[in-house]
Amino acid sequence: MIDPQLADLRKTYAQRTLAEADVLPDAMHQFRQWMDEALAAQLDEPTAFTLSTVSGTGQPSSRVVLLKGLPDDAGFLFYTNYDSRKGQELAAQPLAALNFFWPGLERQVRVEGRIEKAPEEMSTEYFQSRPRSSQLGAWASPQSQIIGSREELEAREAAIATEFGAQNPLPRPAHWGGFILRPHRLEFWQGRPSRLHDRIVYELQGSAWHRSRLAP
């Protein structure tokens, strides 16, 4: 049965075009250009992306994460609890996909690549730059584990705060840190009318990026 409330929702994309002549030779430089434009447009959460991982049984899972850097213009940096579901899945299967969607610009970027842990000093520097409340939260939350109640979580936070007293910044917990995705494929998607969208894909071949156009 068709649900017209959902099935009849449509939007015509017509803001921009994307031609091969419009993009840079290097995929990461092209991404940075689009990210800079998303930031300049003052979109809501321009650094948010959907991170997809896969379990040992082949079950995919996705969640929204925030981009925290582009190290050496050669990777995508984000932080998490290493004991969380995504942390454990990335440790077991170090491949992942990212998807950035900027509806205000009618754009998305799809990224695929290999995962590595960020250097310890990088994770520590970022952790200790965060607000103290966020540092306490990282210590207190057993991310992705079942807990009995909200009150239990808040009690854990209060206990951690008491334990550390006025110390600021806090030491970084060993279970918390960064991951860097090193991409081998990026796709830049620009919405167009009639669903004839522009799709330019970059694939890493050796040390060089090869560009192609994909059918929408």
Side-chain angles (χ1 to χ4, degrees):
M1 179 182 295
I2 294 176
D3 183 344
Q5 191 174 16
L6 300 178
D8 292 344
L9 285 174
R10 288 180 177 82
K11 175 179 172 58
T12 297
Y13 298 112
Q15 285 190 26
R16 295 171 173 82
T17 63
L18 183 64
E20 288 81 347
D22 298 331
V23 295
L24 300 172
D26 186 280
M28 291 300 294
H29 293 169
Q30 179 62 37
F31 178 83
R32 183 174 284 278
Q33 178 175 297
W34 270 27
M35 174 57 76
D36 288 345
E37 291 175 11
L39 293 169
Q42 299 184 329
L43 305 177
D44 289 339
E45 298 287 12
T47 63
F49 62 89
T50 300
L51 167 67
S52 296
T53 59
V54 65
S55 72
T57 61
Q59 174 61 56
S61 62
S62 297
R63 73 288 289 160
V64 175
V65 182
L66 299 179
L67 180 69
K68 291 301 179 181
L70 299 168
D72 303 319
D73 274 346
F76 296 80
L77 171 66
F78 59 95
Y79 293 93
T80 189
N81 184 318
Y82 289 140
D83 295 334
S84 66
R85 178 176 177 180
K86 60 182 172 295
Q88 292 185 47
E89 291 183 349
L90 290 172
Q93 176 59 278
L95 295 171
L98 320 181
N99 185 279
F100 294 83
F101 181 47
W102 299 307
L105 298 176
E106 300 176 353
R107 286 175 171 171
Q108 68 174 318
V109 182
R110 299 170 61 189
V111 185
E112 298 172 21
R114 177 164 289 276
I115 290 287
E116 62 187 49
K117 275 191 174 182
E120 295 279 334
E121 60 274 16
M122 180 182 291
S123 293
T124 298
E125 180 181 10
Y126 175 70
F127 180 83
Q128 295 186 333
S129 75
R130 304 172 84 207
R132 190 170 189 272
S133 59
S134 297
Q135 296 176 41
L136 289 170
W139 273 100
S141 175
Q143 192 175 111
S144 300
Q145 296 180 29
I146 295 173
I147 57 174
S149 65
R150 174 75 190 187
E151 289 72 24
E152 177 184 327
L153 184 63
E154 292 173 350
R156 288 173 61 95
E157 182 186 35
I160 292 292
T162 299
E163 178 182 343
F164 284 112
Q167 183 176 348
N168 191 32
L170 306 187
R172 177 179 62 88
H175 64 255
W176 192 98
F179 283 113
I180 300 173
L181 182 141
R182 300 294 185 184
H184 55 249
R185 180 185 173 97
L186 285 88
E187 180 191 319
F188 295 84
W189 179 99
Q190 180 69 62
R192 297 292 304 277
S194 304
R195 296 298 186 261
L196 296 179
H197 311 303
D198 287 326
R199 298 173 63 189
I200 303 293
V201 64
Y202 291 74
E203 295 178 286
L204 194 59
Q205 299 181 357
S207 60
W209 290 102
H210 176 74
R211 288 174 291 172
S212 305
R213 174 173 287 270
L214 301 179

